[in-house]
Amino acid sequence: MKNIVITGGAGFIGSHVVRLFVNKYPEYNIINLDKLTYAGNLANLKDIEDKPNYKFVKMDICDFDAFYQLMQDEKIDGIIHLAAESHVDRSIKDPFTFARTNVMGTLSLLQAAKLYWESLPEKYEGKRFYHISTDEVYGALSMTHPEGIEPPFTTTASSSEHHLAYGEDFFYETTKYNPHSPYSASKASSDHFVRAYHDTYGMPTIVTNCSNNYGPFQFPEKLIPLFINNIRNRKPLPVYGKGENVRDWLYVVDHARAIDVIFHKGTIAETYNIGGFNEWKNIDIIKTVINTVDRLLGRPEGADMDLITYVTDRLGHDARYAIDSTKLQRELGWEPSLQFEEGIEKTVKWYLENEEWLNNITSGDYEKYYESMYKNR
């Protein structure tokens, strides 16, 4: 039986990974380790919390002694590391928290895993440390605006359409790191530590860099759930600059599927990019969300376009991200299952049908509930 720790498992992407592993692999013991910061919410996992192969542990990844003890007590074979501070705006205001969690937290996990696995007769055999990173570590790509081409720019077969659409290049696994925000700098540093532990100690590590995720259970400070909630309540939709920045979007369940495949079949010491071949300008995605919410709420389509409010651009706002995930498709057979229109329809429906979850988040009630539940543990 494999004993696997998933850090940050109460967060947005982490909860989807936990759910997938618990349901798909009943022979595994899945330990969800989360500090339950503002972005962690165990309500995301109500449907699997009573499964016999699932356990939740409230822990700070920076607590080396506690995690080292957990490694020994639970005889951990694998670590899927998602826990991280991830909101760029927060990193600009408080870079120290991002450095502590993303850099020192990752180093704490690596060192604890090293000491435990090296104490075993089999050493690193059958072990794996899988670190989930971001496309933002690569910096920014150039952007072009050819005439006569309208969004969306999507394909799962070739990147040629994207080259014609928004720029002349992609982020590849070999792209030089060039982070521009405290968030991306902290993630870049943690990536380097993970690779250093393989090169120095022989630890079996894998790193993946993923594009923007969207879908159910995302904390509503991020663009899509924030705007769905604001449209629902007829509140302003703040758009940085002119909304011209381009991002590549991936449905979160497809990211969880990719993590599953890479964890089991990926090559040790390799890097895999995970992306949706799905580039959108922010303003175009916002208009799509408005039209979808309006239609599902029975309002005239586009009725809430007047909520768009242009605000001062974010500091160091990268112009364009675009992931080339050809390596992952070619070597491991993964590809996105949903085109963006289908994914955004599912996403908007989920948020509109789960008003209680959304209201508990925006009111902060979820934090009070779990603080009370775990304060004496």
Side-chain angles (χ1 to χ4, degrees), residues 134-176:
T134 172
D135 57 358
E136 297 194 37
V137 298
Y138 296 126
L141 292 167
S142 61
M143 188 162 63
T144 59
H145 296 279
E147 295 297 326
I149 298 179
E150 298 296 331
F153 306 109
T154 59
T155 175
T156 57
S158 167
S159 61
S160 60
E161 294 179 26
H162 296 72
H163 287 289
L164 291 171
Y166 278 143
E168 298 176 353
D169 206 357
F170 281 104
F171 293 141
Y172 303 97
E173 286 82 359
T174 55
T175 298
K176 181 180 177 181

mmCIF file of all heavy atoms in Angstrom, residues 134-176:
data_model
loop_
_atom_site.group_PDB
_atom_site.id
_atom_site.type_symbol
_atom_site.label_atom_id
_atom_site.label_comp_id
_atom_site.label_asym_id
_atom_site.label_seq_id
_atom_site.Cartn_x
_atom_site.Cartn_y
_atom_site.Cartn_z
ATOM 1 N N THR A 134 4.419 26.835 -11.350
ATOM 2 C CA THR A 134 3.570 27.721 -12.150
ATOM 3 C C THR A 134 4.291 28.175 -13.409
ATOM 4 O O THR A 134 5.528 28.189 -13.456
ATOM 5 C CB THR A 134 3.177 28.966 -11.325
ATOM 6 O OG1 THR A 134 2.513 29.912 -12.155
ATOM 7 C CG2 THR A 134 4.409 29.646 -10.738
ATOM 8 N N ASP A 135 3.530 28.564 -14.410
ATOM 9 C CA ASP A 135 4.142 29.112 -15.623
ATOM 10 C C ASP A 135 4.731 30.502 -15.391
ATOM 11 O O ASP A 135 5.541 30.983 -16.191
ATOM 12 C CB ASP A 135 3.134 29.155 -16.775
ATOM 13 C CG ASP A 135 1.874 29.956 -16.475
ATOM 14 O OD1 ASP A 135 1.732 30.467 -15.342
ATOM 15 O OD2 ASP A 135 1.016 30.067 -17.371
ATOM 16 N N GLU A 136 4.369 31.144 -14.281
ATOM 17 C CA GLU A 136 4.837 32.509 -14.041
ATOM 18 C C GLU A 136 6.336 32.598 -13.780
ATOM 19 O O GLU A 136 6.924 33.679 -13.876
ATOM 20 C CB GLU A 136 4.051 33.140 -12.887
ATOM 21 C CG GLU A 136 2.569 33.289 -13.188
ATOM 22 C CD GLU A 136 1.848 34.195 -12.224
ATOM 23 O OE1 GLU A 136 2.445 35.202 -11.791
ATOM 24 O OE2 GLU A 136 0.689 33.906 -11.900
ATOM 25 N N VAL A 137 6.976 31.466 -13.467
ATOM 26 C CA VAL A 137 8.426 31.494 -13.231
ATOM 27 C C VAL A 137 9.183 31.837 -14.513
ATOM 28 O O VAL A 137 10.334 32.299 -14.470
ATOM 29 C CB VAL A 137 8.941 30.151 -12.674
ATOM 30 C CG1 VAL A 137 8.305 29.848 -11.331
ATOM 31 C CG2 VAL A 137 8.705 29.013 -13.658
ATOM 32 N N TYR A 138 8.551 31.625 -15.663
ATOM 33 C CA TYR A 138 9.225 31.871 -16.940
ATOM 34 C C TYR A 138 9.239 33.344 -17.344
ATOM 35 O O TYR A 138 9.918 33.728 -18.294
ATOM 36 C CB TYR A 138 8.542 31.077 -18.054
ATOM 37 C CG TYR A 138 8.628 29.575 -17.909
ATOM 38 C CD1 TYR A 138 7.464 28.798 -17.933
ATOM 39 C CD2 TYR A 138 9.846 28.939 -17.769
ATOM 40 C CE1 TYR A 138 7.524 27.412 -17.824
ATOM 41 C CE2 TYR A 138 9.921 27.548 -17.661
ATOM 42 C CZ TYR A 138 8.755 26.784 -17.687
ATOM 43 O OH TYR A 138 8.830 25.419 -17.580
ATOM 44 N N GLY A 139 8.461 34.178 -16.666
ATOM 45 C CA GLY A 139 8.432 35.598 -17.005
ATOM 46 C C GLY A 139 7.282 35.932 -17.916
ATOM 47 O O GLY A 139 6.128 35.589 -17.640
ATOM 48 N N ALA A 140 7.549 36.600 -19.017
ATOM 49 C CA ALA A 140 6.487 37.022 -19.939
ATOM 50 C C ALA A 140 6.917 36.775 -21.373
ATOM 51 O O ALA A 140 8.103 36.803 -21.699
ATOM 52 C CB ALA A 140 6.164 38.496 -19.739
ATOM 53 N N LEU A 141 5.923 36.543 -22.227
ATOM 54 C CA LEU A 141 6.156 36.337 -23.652
ATOM 55 C C LEU A 141 5.754 37.583 -24.438
ATOM 56 O O LEU A 141 4.920 38.375 -23.987
ATOM 57 C CB LEU A 141 5.339 35.147 -24.152
ATOM 58 C CG LEU A 141 5.758 33.769 -23.630
ATOM 59 C CD1 LEU A 141 4.680 32.749 -23.950
ATOM 60 C CD2 LEU A 141 7.092 33.349 -24.225
ATOM 61 N N SER A 142 6.326 37.724 -25.626
ATOM 62 C CA SER A 142 5.920 38.815 -26.504
ATOM 63 C C SER A 142 4.508 38.562 -27.009
ATOM 64 O O SER A 142 4.017 37.434 -27.008
ATOM 65 C CB SER A 142 6.880 38.920 -27.688
ATOM 66 O OG SER A 142 6.862 37.727 -28.448
ATOM 67 N N MET A 143 3.866 39.621 -27.462
ATOM 68 C CA MET A 143 2.482 39.500 -27.891
ATOM 69 C C MET A 143 2.274 40.287 -29.173
ATOM 70 O O MET A 143 2.787 41.398 -29.323
ATOM 71 C CB MET A 143 1.543 40.003 -26.804
ATOM 72 C CG MET A 143 0.076 39.741 -27.054
ATOM 73 S SD MET A 143 -0.899 39.897 -25.537
ATOM 74 C CE MET A 143 -0.631 41.618 -25.135
ATOM 75 N N THR A 144 1.523 39.705 -30.108
ATOM 76 C CA THR A 144 1.172 40.381 -31.349
ATOM 77 C C THR A 144 -0.341 40.419 -31.476
ATOM 78 O O THR A 144 -1.056 39.658 -30.834
ATOM 79 C CB THR A 144 1.773 39.654 -32.561
ATOM 80 O OG1 THR A 144 1.295 38.305 -32.585
ATOM 81 C CG2 THR A 144 3.286 39.657 -32.502
ATOM 82 N N HIS A 145 -0.826 41.301 -32.324
ATOM 83 C CA HIS A 145 -2.272 41.468 -32.512
ATOM 84 C C HIS A 145 -2.596 41.488 -34.001
ATOM 85 O O HIS A 145 -2.873 42.557 -34.570
ATOM 86 C CB HIS A 145 -2.764 42.749 -31.854
ATOM 87 C CG HIS A 145 -2.609 42.780 -30.380
ATOM 88 N ND1 HIS A 145 -3.489 42.173 -29.519
ATOM 89 C CD2 HIS A 145 -1.640 43.314 -29.602
ATOM 90 C CE1 HIS A 145 -3.086 42.355 -28.268
ATOM 91 N NE2 HIS A 145 -1.965 43.039 -28.297
ATOM 92 N N PRO A 146 -2.561 40.353 -34.684
ATOM 93 C CA PRO A 146 -2.865 40.340 -36.113
ATOM 94 C C PRO A 146 -4.315 40.708 -36.375
ATOM 95 O O PRO A 146 -5.193 40.464 -35.553
ATOM 96 C CB PRO A 146 -2.574 38.892 -36.515
ATOM 97 C CG PRO A 146 -2.726 38.110 -35.255
ATOM 98 C CD PRO A 146 -2.276 39.006 -34.159
ATOM 99 N N GLU A 147 -4.549 41.299 -37.498
ATOM 100 C CA GLU A 147 -5.899 41.716 -37.859
ATOM 101 C C GLU A 147 -6.745 40.515 -38.279
ATOM 102 O O GLU A 147 -6.251 39.549 -38.856
ATOM 103 C CB GLU A 147 -5.846 42.713 -39.019
ATOM 104 C CG GLU A 147 -5.160 44.034 -38.672
ATOM 105 C CD GLU A 147 -5.899 44.802 -37.595
ATOM 106 O OE1 GLU A 147 -7.148 44.724 -37.577
ATOM 107 O OE2 GLU A 147 -5.243 45.478 -36.788
ATOM 108 N N GLY A 148 -8.036 40.585 -37.979
ATOM 109 C CA GLY A 148 -8.987 39.607 -38.495
ATOM 110 C C GLY A 148 -9.036 38.295 -37.754
ATOM 111 O O GLY A 148 -9.659 37.349 -38.215
ATOM 112 N N ILE A 149 -8.379 38.199 -36.582
ATOM 113 C CA ILE A 149 -8.410 36.955 -35.806
ATOM 114 C C ILE A 149 -9.148 37.232 -34.508
ATOM 115 O O ILE A 149 -8.810 38.151 -33.771
ATOM 116 C CB ILE A 149 -6.996 36.424 -35.524
ATOM 117 C CG1 ILE A 149 -6.282 36.099 -36.831
ATOM 118 C CG2 ILE A 149 -7.047 35.194 -34.643
ATOM 119 C CD1 ILE A 149 -4.875 35.580 -36.651
ATOM 120 N N GLU A 150 -10.157 36.453 -34.239
ATOM 121 C CA GLU A 150 -10.972 36.637 -33.043
ATOM 122 C C GLU A 150 -10.789 35.469 -32.082
ATOM 123 O O GLU A 150 -10.523 34.347 -32.506
ATOM 124 C CB GLU A 150 -12.452 36.752 -33.431
ATOM 125 C CG GLU A 150 -12.770 37.940 -34.326
ATOM 126 C CD GLU A 150 -12.512 39.267 -33.636
ATOM 127 O OE1 GLU A 150 -12.620 39.324 -32.397
ATOM 128 O OE2 GLU A 150 -12.193 40.249 -34.330
ATOM 129 N N PRO A 151 -10.914 35.687 -30.769
ATOM 130 C CA PRO A 151 -10.823 34.596 -29.796
ATOM 131 C C PRO A 151 -12.062 33.715 -29.900
ATOM 132 O O PRO A 151 -13.079 34.140 -30.447
ATOM 133 C CB PRO A 151 -10.785 35.335 -28.452
ATOM 134 C CG PRO A 151 -11.500 36.623 -28.720
ATOM 135 C CD PRO A 151 -11.171 36.973 -30.138
ATOM 136 N N PRO A 152 -12.006 32.474 -29.365
ATOM 137 C CA PRO A 152 -10.873 31.919 -28.629
ATOM 138 C C PRO A 152 -9.841 31.278 -29.550
ATOM 139 O O PRO A 152 -10.170 30.910 -30.672
ATOM 140 C CB PRO A 152 -11.536 30.845 -27.769
ATOM 141 C CG PRO A 152 -12.658 30.347 -28.627
ATOM 142 C CD PRO A 152 -13.175 31.571 -29.342
ATOM 143 N N PHE A 153 -8.618 31.136 -29.039
ATOM 144 C CA PHE A 153 -7.557 30.480 -29.779
ATOM 145 C C PHE A 153 -7.268 29.158 -29.074
ATOM 146 O O PHE A 153 -6.503 29.118 -28.117
ATOM 147 C CB PHE A 153 -6.326 31.368 -29.822
ATOM 148 C CG PHE A 153 -6.626 32.741 -30.353
ATOM 149 C CD1 PHE A 153 -6.613 33.836 -29.527
ATOM 150 C CD2 PHE A 153 -6.948 32.918 -31.689
ATOM 151 C CE1 PHE A 153 -6.905 35.101 -30.008
ATOM 152 C CE2 PHE A 153 -7.244 34.178 -32.184
ATOM 153 C CZ PHE A 153 -7.217 35.263 -31.344
ATOM 154 N N THR A 154 -7.908 28.106 -29.490
ATOM 155 C CA THR A 154 -7.799 26.829 -28.795
ATOM 156 C C THR A 154 -7.458 25.725 -29.767
ATOM 157 O O THR A 154 -7.922 25.696 -30.898
ATOM 158 C CB THR A 154 -9.126 26.454 -28.103
ATOM 159 O OG1 THR A 154 -10.149 26.376 -29.098
ATOM 160 C CG2 THR A 154 -9.518 27.483 -27.074
ATOM 161 N N THR A 155 -6.637 24.814 -29.319
ATOM 162 C CA THR A 155 -6.332 23.609 -30.073
ATOM 163 C C THR A 155 -5.654 22.615 -29.156
ATOM 164 O O THR A 155 -4.914 23.014 -28.260
ATOM 165 C CB THR A 155 -5.428 23.885 -31.281
ATOM 166 O OG1 THR A 155 -5.084 22.645 -31.899
ATOM 167 C CG2 THR A 155 -4.142 24.581 -30.884
ATOM 168 N N THR A 156 -5.889 21.346 -29.333
ATOM 169 C CA THR A 156 -5.158 20.331 -28.591
ATOM 170 C C THR A 156 -4.234 19.572 -29.519
ATOM 171 O O THR A 156 -3.600 18.620 -29.125
ATOM 172 C CB THR A 156 -6.126 19.337 -27.922
ATOM 173 O OG1 THR A 156 -6.953 18.751 -28.935
ATOM 174 C CG2 THR A 156 -7.002 20.029 -26.911
ATOM 175 N N ALA A 157 -4.160 19.990 -30.769
ATOM 176 C CA ALA A 157 -3.375 19.247 -31.745
ATOM 177 C C ALA A 157 -2.087 19.952 -32.130
ATOM 178 O O ALA A 157 -1.077 19.315 -32.371
ATOM 179 C CB ALA A 157 -4.211 19.001 -33.004
ATOM 180 N N SER A 158 -2.109 21.258 -32.169
ATOM 181 C CA SER A 158 -0.950 21.979 -32.685
ATOM 182 C C SER A 158 -0.900 23.352 -32.060
ATOM 183 O O SER A 158 -1.913 23.922 -31.672
ATOM 184 C CB SER A 158 -1.040 22.107 -34.209
ATOM 185 O OG SER A 158 -0.107 23.038 -34.691
ATOM 186 N N SER A 159 0.298 23.872 -31.957
ATOM 187 C CA SER A 159 0.449 25.220 -31.415
ATOM 188 C C SER A 159 0.460 26.281 -32.497
ATOM 189 O O SER A 159 0.597 27.456 -32.213
ATOM 190 C CB SER A 159 1.759 25.303 -30.611
ATOM 191 O OG SER A 159 2.860 25.026 -31.454
ATOM 192 N N SER A 160 0.325 25.894 -33.762
ATOM 193 C CA SER A 160 0.478 26.844 -34.855
ATOM 194 C C SER A 160 -0.543 27.973 -34.791
ATOM 195 O O SER A 160 -0.227 29.127 -35.079
ATOM 196 C CB SER A 160 0.370 26.121 -36.197
ATOM 197 O OG SER A 160 -0.894 25.485 -36.331
ATOM 198 N N GLU A 161 -1.792 27.654 -34.405
ATOM 199 C CA GLU A 161 -2.810 28.696 -34.339
ATOM 200 C C GLU A 161 -2.441 29.766 -33.325
ATOM 201 O O GLU A 161 -2.716 30.942 -33.508
ATOM 202 C CB GLU A 161 -4.163 28.077 -33.976
ATOM 203 C CG GLU A 161 -4.723 27.155 -35.051
ATOM 204 C CD GLU A 161 -6.046 26.554 -34.608
ATOM 205 O OE1 GLU A 161 -6.733 27.183 -33.787
ATOM 206 O OE2 GLU A 161 -6.376 25.463 -35.073
ATOM 207 N N HIS A 162 -1.806 29.341 -32.230
ATOM 208 C CA HIS A 162 -1.433 30.292 -31.197
ATOM 209 C C HIS A 162 -0.326 31.217 -31.675
ATOM 210 O O HIS A 162 -0.321 32.397 -31.374
ATOM 211 C CB HIS A 162 -0.965 29.547 -29.942
ATOM 212 C CG HIS A 162 -2.020 28.721 -29.306
ATOM 213 N ND1 HIS A 162 -2.476 27.562 -29.856
ATOM 214 C CD2 HIS A 162 -2.728 28.902 -28.166
ATOM 215 C CE1 HIS A 162 -3.418 27.044 -29.078
ATOM 216 N NE2 HIS A 162 -3.582 27.838 -28.045
ATOM 217 N N HIS A 163 0.615 30.682 -32.420
ATOM 218 C CA HIS A 163 1.688 31.520 -32.938
ATOM 219 C C HIS A 163 1.114 32.614 -33.830
ATOM 220 O O HIS A 163 1.605 33.736 -33.845
ATOM 221 C CB HIS A 163 2.690 30.665 -33.724
ATOM 222 C CG HIS A 163 3.545 29.802 -32.859
ATOM 223 N ND1 HIS A 163 4.536 30.309 -32.063
ATOM 224 C CD2 HIS A 163 3.561 28.470 -32.655
ATOM 225 C CE1 HIS A 163 5.131 29.335 -31.402
ATOM 226 N NE2 HIS A 163 4.553 28.205 -31.751
ATOM 227 N N LEU A 164 0.056 32.296 -34.567
ATOM 228 C CA LEU A 164 -0.580 33.280 -35.434
ATOM 229 C C LEU A 164 -1.420 34.265 -34.635
ATOM 230 O O LEU A 164 -1.653 35.378 -35.071
ATOM 231 C CB LEU A 164 -1.475 32.573 -36.463
ATOM 232 C CG LEU A 164 -0.761 31.752 -37.536
ATOM 233 C CD1 LEU A 164 -1.773 30.946 -38.329
ATOM 234 C CD2 LEU A 164 0.047 32.661 -38.458
ATOM 235 N N ALA A 165 -1.861 33.840 -33.453
ATOM 236 C CA ALA A 165 -2.822 34.634 -32.715
ATOM 237 C C ALA A 165 -2.181 35.683 -31.822
ATOM 238 O O ALA A 165 -2.373 36.876 -32.024
ATOM 239 C CB ALA A 165 -3.703 33.708 -31.879
ATOM 240 N N TYR A 166 -1.415 35.274 -30.835
ATOM 241 C CA TYR A 166 -0.998 36.208 -29.805
ATOM 242 C C TYR A 166 0.503 36.385 -29.675
ATOM 243 O O TYR A 166 0.956 37.234 -28.922
ATOM 244 C CB TYR A 166 -1.546 35.752 -28.447
ATOM 245 C CG TYR A 166 -2.981 36.155 -28.198
ATOM 246 C CD1 TYR A 166 -3.846 35.298 -27.533
ATOM 247 C CD2 TYR A 166 -3.459 37.388 -28.607
ATOM 248 C CE1 TYR A 166 -5.152 35.661 -27.290
ATOM 249 C CE2 TYR A 166 -4.764 37.772 -28.369
ATOM 250 C CZ TYR A 166 -5.610 36.901 -27.702
ATOM 251 O OH TYR A 166 -6.893 37.270 -27.454
ATOM 252 N N GLY A 167 1.294 35.592 -30.318
ATOM 253 C CA GLY A 167 2.724 35.757 -30.158
ATOM 254 C C GLY A 167 3.499 34.750 -30.970
ATOM 255 O O GLY A 167 2.928 33.906 -31.663
ATOM 256 N N GLU A 168 4.795 34.846 -30.874
ATOM 257 C CA GLU A 168 5.661 34.033 -31.701
ATOM 258 C C GLU A 168 6.312 32.884 -30.938
ATOM 259 O O GLU A 168 7.139 32.165 -31.488
ATOM 260 C CB GLU A 168 6.745 34.920 -32.327
ATOM 261 C CG GLU A 168 6.174 36.004 -33.228
ATOM 262 C CD GLU A 168 7.251 36.922 -33.763
ATOM 263 O OE1 GLU A 168 8.409 36.791 -33.321
ATOM 264 O OE2 GLU A 168 6.922 37.763 -34.617
ATOM 265 N N ASP A 169 5.966 32.715 -29.669
ATOM 266 C CA ASP A 169 6.643 31.681 -28.907
ATOM 267 C C ASP A 169 5.766 31.218 -27.754
ATOM 268 O O ASP A 169 4.728 31.792 -27.459
ATOM 269 C CB ASP A 169 7.975 32.213 -28.369
ATOM 270 C CG ASP A 169 8.989 31.103 -28.147
ATOM 271 O OD1 ASP A 169 8.632 29.924 -28.361
ATOM 272 O OD2 ASP A 169 10.128 31.414 -27.767
ATOM 273 N N PHE A 170 6.224 30.129 -27.105
ATOM 274 C CA PHE A 170 5.574 29.552 -25.935
ATOM 275 C C PHE A 170 6.588 29.382 -24.825
ATOM 276 O O PHE A 170 7.800 29.478 -25.036
ATOM 277 C CB PHE A 170 4.986 28.178 -26.277
ATOM 278 C CG PHE A 170 3.687 28.211 -27.004
ATOM 279 C CD1 PHE A 170 3.641 27.951 -28.356
ATOM 280 C CD2 PHE A 170 2.515 28.497 -26.344
ATOM 281 C CE1 PHE A 170 2.445 27.979 -29.037
ATOM 282 C CE2 PHE A 170 1.310 28.533 -27.015
ATOM 283 C CZ PHE A 170 1.270 28.272 -28.367
ATOM 284 N N PHE A 171 6.092 29.080 -23.627
ATOM 285 C CA PHE A 171 6.956 28.592 -22.567
ATOM 286 C C PHE A 171 7.186 27.103 -22.804
ATOM 287 O O PHE A 171 6.240 26.318 -22.895
ATOM 288 C CB PHE A 171 6.296 28.772 -21.202
ATOM 289 C CG PHE A 171 6.118 30.200 -20.772
ATOM 290 C CD1 PHE A 171 4.972 30.599 -20.113
ATOM 291 C CD2 PHE A 171 7.115 31.143 -20.992
ATOM 292 C CE1 PHE A 171 4.796 31.903 -19.698
ATOM 293 C CE2 PHE A 171 6.951 32.461 -20.583
ATOM 294 C CZ PHE A 171 5.790 32.839 -19.933
ATOM 295 N N TYR A 172 8.447 26.727 -22.886
ATOM 296 C CA TYR A 172 8.817 25.317 -22.999
ATOM 297 C C TYR A 172 9.516 24.892 -21.709
ATOM 298 O O TYR A 172 9.901 25.733 -20.888
ATOM 299 C CB TYR A 172 9.752 25.112 -24.201
ATOM 300 C CG TYR A 172 9.175 25.591 -25.509
ATOM 301 C CD1 TYR A 172 9.505 26.847 -26.015
ATOM 302 C CD2 TYR A 172 8.285 24.801 -26.233
ATOM 303 C CE1 TYR A 172 8.966 27.310 -27.213
ATOM 304 C CE2 TYR A 172 7.741 25.256 -27.431
ATOM 305 C CZ TYR A 172 8.080 26.507 -27.910
ATOM 306 O OH TYR A 172 7.543 26.958 -29.085
ATOM 307 N N GLU A 173 9.712 23.602 -21.554
ATOM 308 C CA GLU A 173 10.404 23.106 -20.357
ATOM 309 C C GLU A 173 11.824 23.647 -20.266
ATOM 310 O O GLU A 173 12.407 23.699 -19.173
ATOM 311 C CB GLU A 173 10.416 21.576 -20.355
ATOM 312 C CG GLU A 173 9.093 20.920 -20.031
ATOM 313 C CD GLU A 173 8.139 20.804 -21.208
ATOM 314 O OE1 GLU A 173 8.514 21.267 -22.321
ATOM 315 O OE2 GLU A 173 7.032 20.265 -21.036
ATOM 316 N N THR A 174 12.381 24.058 -21.386
ATOM 317 C CA THR A 174 13.754 24.574 -21.431
ATOM 318 C C THR A 174 13.828 26.096 -21.367
ATOM 319 O O THR A 174 14.922 26.667 -21.410
ATOM 320 C CB THR A 174 14.438 24.104 -22.730
ATOM 321 O OG1 THR A 174 13.640 24.497 -23.850
ATOM 322 C CG2 THR A 174 14.609 22.585 -22.727
ATOM 323 N N THR A 175 12.680 26.766 -21.259
ATOM 324 C CA THR A 175 12.666 28.232 -21.206
ATOM 325 C C THR A 175 13.397 28.730 -19.954
ATOM 326 O O THR A 175 13.194 28.201 -18.858
ATOM 327 C CB THR A 175 11.223 28.758 -21.202
ATOM 328 O OG1 THR A 175 10.573 28.358 -22.415
ATOM 329 C CG2 THR A 175 11.191 30.271 -21.099
ATOM 330 N N LYS A 176 14.220 29.732 -20.129
ATOM 331 C CA LYS A 176 14.974 30.300 -19.016
ATOM 332 C C LYS A 176 14.033 30.972 -18.019
ATOM 333 O O LYS A 176 13.091 31.661 -18.399
ATOM 334 C CB LYS A 176 15.975 31.328 -19.551
ATOM 335 C CG LYS A 176 16.848 31.969 -18.489
ATOM 336 C CD LYS A 176 17.803 32.976 -19.131
ATOM 337 C CE LYS A 176 18.652 33.688 -18.076
ATOM 338 N NZ LYS A 176 19.563 34.679 -18.706
#
